Amino acid sequence: GIRAAAFLSGGYLPEHLRRTNLTEPIHIADWYATLPTLAGVEVKPHGDSEDATLPAVDGVNVWPYIVGEVDISPRQEIPVSYVTLISGDYKLVWDDEISNSGWSTQNWPNASSHQSDVYGESINCTSGCLFNVKEDRSERYDIAAQNPVRVQAMKMRLFEMRDGYYSNEETFLPSCPDDIEMFCPCWVAQNVYGGFLGPYAEIDVNVQQFG
């Protein structure tokens, strides 16, 4: 998911920062630029590869933010995908239709869940959908109509960043039986992992992992 939790621990962390919370954005790619810097290792433009055709390292060193030297994270843009950009507190989606756009309950899936709760919903973002992900964390309110200037600016930035967007061609096939009607991750949770979500590709579904 986009909004993932993380924590830092250890004696190197200053005492006054322990048991505190940080809410500014940090991308997983930023650890690649942060941890080597702490170790005094140079972060090369293309990592350890000599292949200049690979995208350049785009992580940023977030240690100054973590230790309180600055109040704002240097990571203010997150190009989520070819059609989605997060900039500051705002998220722009620019696409014809976004599927799987429903909202689940707090404890989902459960015995009364329907696949259509989430996967049967879609929203039309042909002219762009804009959300304030700080104030509207579940992205229920599209505020694009009220912010045309911001939408246009973020659209242009998204299109500009597309030239550097990299995606591999790797695919996988779910390991579920062909004749099931349930969504594969849910079937695996019920039949393999004892009710817990887990990997559902390239596994032996005939071996029960728990319980």
Side-chain angles (χ1 to χ4, degrees):
I2 289 294
R3 193 183 295 274
F7 70 90
L8 288 175
S9 180
Y12 194 74
L13 195 65
E15 181 72 30
H16 71 281
L17 293 175
R18 301 176 188 181
R19 296 174 295 278
T20 60
N21 295 321
L22 297 175
T23 58
E24 284 282 304
I26 294 176
H27 193 278
I28 190 171
D30 298 332
W31 295 118
Y32 184 87
T34 300
L35 298 180
T37 301
L38 288 175
V41 177
E42 177 186 3
V43 179
K44 300 177 182 179
H46 295 278
D48 292 330
S49 174
E50 300 297 329
D51 185 357
T53 64
L54 291 175
V57 172
D58 57 4
V60 294
N61 178 16
V62 294
W63 189 250
Y65 168 63
I66 291 173
V67 296
E69 294 176 3
V70 296
D71 295 329
I72 304 297
S73 170
R75 167 63 65 188
Q76 289 297 307
E77 283 187 330
I78 300 178
V80 179
S81 72
Y82 198 72
V83 299
T84 306
L85 172 66
I86 294 177
S87 179
D89 296 339
Y90 295 90
K91 175 180 176 179
L92 176 73
V93 181
W94 193 277
D95 199 7
D96 291 341
E97 187 174 49
I98 306 300
S99 59
N100 305 338
S101 301
W103 295 276
S104 66
T105 57
Q106 184 172 357
N107 297 310
W108 188 93
N110 54 52
S112 62
S113 296
H114 297 283
Q115 183 170 327
S116 60
D117 291 346
V118 173
Y119 299 101
E121 301 293 331
S122 63
I123 57 174
N124 189 316
C125 294
T126 302
S127 300
C129 296
L130 184 70
F131 305 95
N132 185 321
V133 292
K134 184 176 182 179
E135 298 178 359
D136 176 24
R137 299 180 67 175
S138 58
E139 301 174 23
R140 293 178 180 269
Y141 305 104
D142 178 10
I143 56 174
Q146 293 78 35
N147 296 271
V149 175
R150 184 180 299 277
V151 169
Q152 184 64 19
M154 290 184 65
K155 170 193 171 184
M156 297 305 296
R157 179 58 176 154
L158 172 64
F159 285 14
E160 176 186 348
M161 299 178 82
R162 282 181 173 180
D163 290 338
Y165 186 75
Y166 176 80
S167 178
N168 62 47
E169 302 298 327
E170 295 181 2
T171 59
F172 68 89
L173 294 176
S175 298
C176 294
D178 294 333
D179 58 350
I180 65 170
E181 296 182 359
M182 185 183 299
F183 190 52
C184 184
C186 297
W187 185 92
V188 173
Q190 289 186 6
N191 294 275
V192 179
Y193 298 121
F196 295 92
L197 290 175
Y200 58 94
E202 300 181 9
I203 64 170
D204 185 353
V205 296
N206 297 310
V207 178
Q208 191 171 30
Q209 304 292 327
F210 304 99

